């Protein structure tokens, strides 16, 4: 049975993107620093048809994350920023379901990635993604508004946060303005390296 997981990068001061984010400024001012630890890993480079790269425990975390996921869900804002910057093939290599209010034909890319645009809400997106994922997991890739919708609906099984040792000072926070009390977070694991700390939590309901 598929699990629904959130996997997202974050600065030490809680931002998942810097200020002034736009398609021309993906992740906002200095936001790329949140993911800098990942860009030279072998598992990340492989996803973009590049050779070489570092093999370490961060690489193992990223490889595991890719291997377990059979479909992705993201918001239109994240898609708009990525559309102009993702290479072909994009790193997903799996179906991606984009939550949006604007209808658009599916966008087929190399490597097994097809972006399907869902206009009838998170339940429909999750149903389609779960079917596409089969026995693998569904990953909510972002941005903050989409993650919040799934958290508030109680649809997340596991929350993964990759904390980079950077301070942005301003930008987009993951948990701001949420109408939600997270009942329990049960730690699954903590993995640290000189460049990032990987935190994984199970979401638990109140007894």
């Amino acid at each position: 049975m598929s699990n629904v997981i959130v996997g997202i990068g974050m600065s030490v001061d809680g931002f998942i993107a810097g200020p002034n984010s736009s398609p021309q400024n993906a992740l906002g001012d200095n936001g790329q620093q949140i993911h800098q630890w990942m860009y030279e890993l072998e598992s990340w480079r492989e996803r973009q048809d590049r050779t070489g790269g570092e093999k370490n425990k961060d690489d193992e975390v990223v490889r595991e994350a890719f291997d377990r996921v059979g479909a992705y869900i993201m918001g239109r804002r994240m898609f708009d920023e990525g559309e102009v910057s993702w290479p072909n093939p994009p790193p997903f290599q799996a179906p991606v379901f984009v939550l949006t209010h604007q209808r658009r034909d599916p966008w087929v890319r190399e490597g097994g990635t097809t972006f399907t645009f869902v206009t009838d809400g998170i339940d429909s997106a999750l149903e389609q993604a779960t079917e596409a994922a089969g026995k693998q997991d569904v990953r909510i890739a972002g941005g903050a508004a989409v993650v919040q919708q799934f958290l508030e609906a109680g649809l997340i099984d596991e929350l993964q946060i990759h904390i980079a040792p950077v301070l942005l000072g301003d930008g987009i926070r993951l948990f701001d303005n949420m109408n939600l009390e997270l009942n329990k977070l049960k730690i699954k694991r903590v993995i640290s390296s000189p460049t990032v700390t990987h935190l994984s939590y199970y979401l638990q309901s109140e007894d």
Side-chain angles (χ1 to χ4, degrees):
M1 181 177 178
S2 295
N3 286 318
V4 181
I5 62 176
V6 170
I8 203 157
M10 183 182 291
S11 67
V12 170
D13 49 351
F15 296 102
I16 64 170
N20 305 311
S21 61
S22 70
Q24 290 71 42
N25 188 28
L27 293 173
D29 298 345
N30 299 314
Q32 294 287 345
Q33 294 181 35
I34 297 171
H35 304 284
Q36 196 66 44
W37 61 271
M38 186 171 59
Y39 295 144
E40 294 305 319
L41 299 179
E42 182 185 68
S43 52
W44 177 256
R45 292 171 65 88
E46 285 177 356
R47 286 275 163 158
Q48 295 164 82
D49 283 345
R50 299 168 63 192
T51 59
E54 299 177 13
K55 294 182 179 181
N56 51 34
K57 53 188 172 182
D58 296 329
D59 180 65
E60 292 173 2
V61 169
V62 172
R63 189 175 300 279
E64 176 191 75
F66 280 134
D67 288 346
R68 69 182 288 189
V69 173
Y72 295 82
I73 296 173
M74 69 177 59
R76 182 59 188 257
R77 181 171 179 173
M78 179 178 177
F79 172 79
D80 285 346
E81 290 189 13
E83 183 178 17
V84 298
S85 58
W86 285 320
N88 198 19
F92 306 101
Q93 297 186 14
V96 181
F97 297 87
V98 181
L99 284 159
T100 180
H101 297 295
Q102 299 176 338
R103 294 185 180 277
R104 175 172 166 175
D105 292 335
W107 188 37
V108 180
R109 305 289 279 165
E110 296 175 1
T113 301
T114 295
F115 294 92
T116 299
F117 301 88
V118 181
T119 60
D120 49 352
I122 63 172
D123 290 328
S124 176
L126 182 56
E127 181 179 354
Q128 294 179 61
T130 300
E131 181 177 356
K135 295 181 179 180
Q136 292 180 283
D137 292 334
V138 174
R139 176 169 172 170
I140 314 302
V146 170
V147 173
Q148 289 178 3
Q149 288 181 63
F150 277 89
L151 284 170
E152 290 175 346
L155 297 173
I156 302 300
D157 299 303
E158 184 178 336
L159 176 62
Q160 300 175 355
I161 301 176
H162 310 284
I163 300 181
V166 298
L167 297 170
L168 294 185
D170 193 9
I172 299 172
R173 294 184 186 272
L174 181 59
F175 299 115
D176 271 0
N177 305 313
M178 289 191 68
N179 182 25
L180 172 72
E181 291 183 7
L182 288 177
N183 295 328
K184 293 180 182 178
L185 290 175
K186 181 180 178 181
I187 293 177
K188 177 183 177 182
R189 71 181 186 188
V190 178
I191 299 174
S192 62
S193 77
T195 57
V196 64
T197 301
H198 309 281
L199 305 176
S200 296
Y201 301 92
Y202 294 119
L203 270 69
Q204 303 285 304
S205 299
E206 290 282 11
D207 295 331

